[in-house]
Amino acid sequence: MHYGLKPDKHLRLHCPFHDDKTPSLQVYYKTQTCYCFSSNCKTHGKSLDVIDFVMHKDGISKREAILKCKELIGGSTSAVAAVPVSRSGILNYMFTYFKNAIHNSKPAQAYLQSRGLDITRLEVGYNTAQFHHGARRDEQLISACVSVGLLSAWGSNTREGIQAYKPFGKYCIVFALRDREGSISGMYFRSTVNDSDQRHYYLKDRKGLYPGYPKGDITRLILTESVIDAATLLQHHEIGKAYGILACYGTNGLTAEHEAAIVSLGQLQEIIFAFDGDEAGRKAVEKYSALLKNRLPYVLMSSIVLPDGEDINSIGVSHTAEVFTELLQSRTALFFSTEVSAGKTNLSSPESTAVVSAGALLDSRNPYKLIYVGAGGNYYVQGGLSKQLDSMKITLVIEHKESGHKSRNKIDLYEDKQVERLCREAGEKLGVRKDVLEQDLYQLTDLLDQYREAEQGKGESTPAEGVAVYTLSESERNTAVRFLRQEGLLQALNVLLGETGIVGEEQNRLFLLLVALSYKMPAPLHALIQGSSGSGKTRLLKQVSDCIPPEKVTRLTRVSDKVLYNYPERYFINRLLCLEDIDGLSEEAEFAFRELQSNGELNSATSIKLDNGQITSGQKTVKGPIASLACTTRGELYEDNMSRVFLIAVDESGEQTRRIIGYQNNKAAGEIDTGREQERKGFIRNLVRSLEALEVVNPYAGRLQLPEDAHKIRRLHDLFLNFVKMVTLLHQYQRRRDSKGRLIAELSDVESAIGIMFDSIVLKVDELDGSLRQFYEQLKEYLRSKYGTHYSQAEFTLREIRQGLHLSKTQLFRYAQDLVRLEYICTCGGHHNKGFTYKIVYWDNYQGLRERIRTHLSNQLSAIKVGTPAGDLERYGKPVER
């Protein structure tokens, strides 16, 4: 154990005293001696005891060897192999002991033989549970083993009356679980006795993977249900060479450590499940394939189909090694949406990455470079397939598997003469048999046929490639529903939004989430976020849209004139469309976006090229409806656009700026847990997925009126009623339903809706846009603080305001132009070259306006509560100048 030398099952090992290619040193445990049978060994002809072995191994005198052996026994000097103190060191130390012990244990050898496991090919040990008894008793070793869980205190019933210990995993074979660095971080124990209740054990604080972390360059990974199954496959050199192998810890044993290791494999192309042939194994494959597909959408998922009641190990015991090659060749691809059946083989669907036929695999992850690995070489179809069904003209690259030499050709695979000629010429060039190439090309033709049919059967593809539809587990759904049933749901949801990394904007973030959530409804909502450059409006949009399931979100930075007309017909149905900057839209693109918002559909007459090449007229339709979020720096947009949306002004106050800077500082200092932020976003996405798109009725709809001087009151009133529905929809697990299954809105939903969208209602009444209003209020406050009671007659220059309010020259000039045009300020002197002076000519009472609107709505709510008819309410009055 001190030198780390391990004899094989015949108690032989490579002699350390000469260059030994085959084991020539025989170990005799009964006499505690060894003998090298090689004539090249300097010790040949002499039997070595322990002292002689140490003397020759370390190149020291016999006296020094005796002293070293004495030290090894007594543990008194640094030359002794002391028991390590770290967990990894202790486990490595004990696993070496377990590996040595297996050679002296007939029961362990018999058990391994019954399971078809070869100890000369596997790293496996055996726990006799004797390492802490009698003369072996070492308090340092015992303490170390207790710390890692290999021993536990068990009374004081020894003959000497001292502490007794109960061993962990007694009479078990032992496998090492290793961490990313390859060190032992855990152990798996498998009982060799007939104990049907307790057959599997894991050391406490289980960490590590078996046989270890997969190599980073593997392309295909086999996942087994148990460690024994993985060990069975590891014995076969050809499988270990072609595939990575990783053991799960049972049908519920794909841990976060497994998942992280798999996701980190940058060249991974396929995951092959080799789980047991029973109901539990099949359900586990279904569960974990969906989980990994969500994390690795471009990786093919497949499964080895085992007979009922069989597992990998039992198959290995009852069959020859060739059975695993056959099982791997006949594996079945797994798919995660609508599937097309062809005989016994599942063909590709919109998310599939391969076509499988008779064990052959076509890798279609890149539709413009289809890959097939045949018996005679590797085949690459460059540029994809034509949709014309009467031919299969392709650009084909044939690569020799070993030399890498290539033959490049254009060919129609439907022409047998072309195929024969190509196989003859390519075979001569690459040194491959013609008949082998022909067989490969016929198989490739069948695969390409199936692939093309599957592509046509999909219908229209979507531009959102790589985004898998996420299915909630029962546990996730239950957790989400519990959250949605709680009192104070809106406040709790707002707190969650704050934990996703959205700083401040308490009202706006909740408002935007409810607008985004309306993508589920027949009449979705739309919001326009206004703010100056650098105010954080785009980040706010991104953070909110990240809380919506990604399979239902399209986020665009730029939109060309005709692009919205060219999407697949059903792509936008119940989808959230986010435009990061609506200012850059051309008039044509704005019109298309506006029609998609209002009508929920785009119809255009266009020219269509038929499959036979003829050009004819046709109609292109893109269906909605969509919900939308967009950003703008412009204070005023085309009136038709603004009337369709809720207006939301980004908070540009100094207090908000300080909050953002504080968040940025904390994030840079590592005090912000970004992982927790992502978890919160994921949880909100699960909340959204848990909500059903139900019809909502509002019994208070005719009893509350918005301010009549609001911009486009007809459309605003409709937006308001739909927003109330969204608040009710969010509370669907707390609201009653009528006989038709419709949700019934409560007065609290109306109150909450008014509270959330109050600022947007004010913006609809106010003739200043959000950012311009915030500047104008800052300007008035600045003049009041500087000029006191004479503020109403104060004159100012743009330089003074720019320095006082810390604004950019361009931004301030735009604000000043807008206020002059709207007659809120005017010039009262100056010159183009020296600058103008300005004064405020219209001191409106913005706070008074807000209070009047708030009072107007509050009075109506109060009247509804006591049953006062809406017609008896006092009419809303327009704001007056002060």
Side-chain angles (χ1 to χ4, degrees), residues 300 333 335 348 352-357 359-366 369-373 379-381 385 443-452:
L300 172 67
F335 301 99
S348 63
S352 85
T353 57
V355 173
V356 181
S357 176
L361 179 71
L362 178 69
D363 183 349
S364 59
R365 285 175 300 159
N366 183 349
K369 187 176 182 180
L370 306 174
I371 303 173
Y372 167 62
V373 179
Y379 301 83
Y380 306 95
V381 180
L385 286 179
Q443 181 67 69
L444 175 61
T445 304
D446 290 341
L447 289 169
L448 292 175
D449 264 333
Q450 295 177 10
Y451 170 73
R452 185 159 62 180

Side-chain angles (χ1 to χ4, degrees), residues 470 472 477 520 549-551 682 685-691:
Y470 186 87
L472 284 178
R477 183 173 295 279
K520 291 174 171 280
E551 64 268 20
R685 288 195 287 267
N686 288 346
L687 296 179
V688 174
R689 294 184 179 107
S690 300
L691 295 172

Side-chain angles (χ1 to χ4, degrees), residues 264-467:
S264 67
L265 300 175
Q267 301 182 37
L268 189 61
Q269 299 177 7
E270 182 182 5
I271 297 175
I272 305 165
F273 289 88
F275 279 35
D276 295 357
D278 54 20
E279 187 63 23
R282 286 186 282 271
K283 287 184 177 180
V285 170
E286 182 180 350
K287 171 184 175 182
Y288 291 131
S289 62
L291 171 68
L292 294 174
K293 187 67 175 179
N294 188 50
R295 298 293 306 276
L296 300 167
Y298 294 110
V299 174
L300 172 67
M301 303 290 160
S302 60
S303 176
I304 294 175
V305 180
L306 298 179
D308 289 345
E310 297 281 4
D311 57 35
I312 290 293
N313 181 251
S314 66
I315 291 288
V317 171
S318 58
H319 294 74
T320 60
E322 288 74 20
V323 69
F324 294 119
T325 303
E326 296 173 4
L327 287 171
L328 284 167
Q329 288 178 349
S330 61
R331 65 188 182 272
T332 302
L334 303 172
F335 301 99
F336 304 91
S337 58
T338 306
E339 297 180 341
V340 182
S341 178
K344 295 183 179 180
T345 303
N346 290 330
L347 299 183
S348 63
S349 65
E351 293 181 21
S352 85
T353 57
V355 173
V356 181
S357 176
L361 179 71
L362 178 69
D363 183 349
S364 59
R365 285 175 300 159
N366 183 349
Y368 302 105
K369 187 176 182 180
L370 306 174
I371 303 173
Y372 167 62
V373 179
N378 302 324
Y379 301 83
Y380 306 95
V381 180
Q382 303 282 20
L385 286 179
S386 168
K387 294 182 180 180
Q388 303 291 338
L389 297 180
D390 59 346
S391 64
M392 189 171 286
K393 297 178 181 180
I394 61 171
T395 300
L396 180 65
V397 178
I398 305 175
E399 179 185 49
H400 193 283
K401 286 187 175 181
E402 296 180 358
S403 67
H405 293 162
K406 296 178 180 178
S407 173
R408 297 175 174 86
N409 308 272
K410 288 185 178 293
I411 184 175
D412 187 347
L413 293 179
Y414 282 174
E415 294 287 344
D416 285 346
K417 290 184 179 180
Q418 290 187 32
V419 173
E420 290 177 8
R421 184 173 64 251
L422 171 63
C423 292
R424 183 176 62 254
E425 295 174 355
E428 292 174 357
K429 179 179 180 180
L430 301 177
V432 181
R433 285 168 43 190
K434 173 177 174 289
D435 62 323
V436 174
L437 290 177
E438 284 184 347
Q439 185 61 37
D440 282 353
L441 287 186
Y442 290 142
Q443 181 67 69
L444 175 61
T445 304
D446 290 341
L447 289 169
L448 292 175
D449 264 333
Q450 295 177 10
Y451 170 73
R452 185 159 62 180
E453 290 172 7
E455 286 294 298
Q456 290 183 337
K458 286 191 220 177
E460 297 173 324
S461 61
T462 68
E465 295 177 358
V467 180

Side-chain angles (χ1 to χ4, degrees), residues 216-233:
D217 59 350
I218 66 166
T219 58
R220 293 179 291 182
L221 176 67
I222 300 175
L223 290 181
T224 66
E225 185 174 318
S226 69
V227 171
I228 293 289
D229 290 342
T232 303
L233 294 177

Side-chain angles (χ1 to χ4, degrees), residues 2 107 145 227 237 285 301 395 403 505 512 576 620 689 733 768:
H2 174 72
C145 290
V227 171
H237 175 72
V285 170
M301 303 290 160
T395 300
S403 67
E505 303 286 0
L512 289 172
L576 173 64
K620 175 74 173 175
R689 294 184 179 107
Y733 292 99
L768 303 186

Side-chain angles (χ1 to χ4, degrees), residues 71-72 216 318 399 494 543 602 605 623 672 797-798 818:
E71 291 169 353
L72 288 174
S318 58
E399 179 185 49
N494 208 346
Q543 293 287 81
L602 292 175
K623 294 182 178 180
I672 301 294
T797 64
L798 295 187
D818 289 342

Side-chain angles (χ1 to χ4, degrees), residues 138-158:
D138 180 344
E139 293 301 328
Q140 185 183 1
L141 176 63
I142 290 174
S143 176
C145 290
V146 169
S147 68
V148 297
L150 286 169
L151 290 175
S152 57
W154 196 255
S156 56
N157 55 355
T158 63

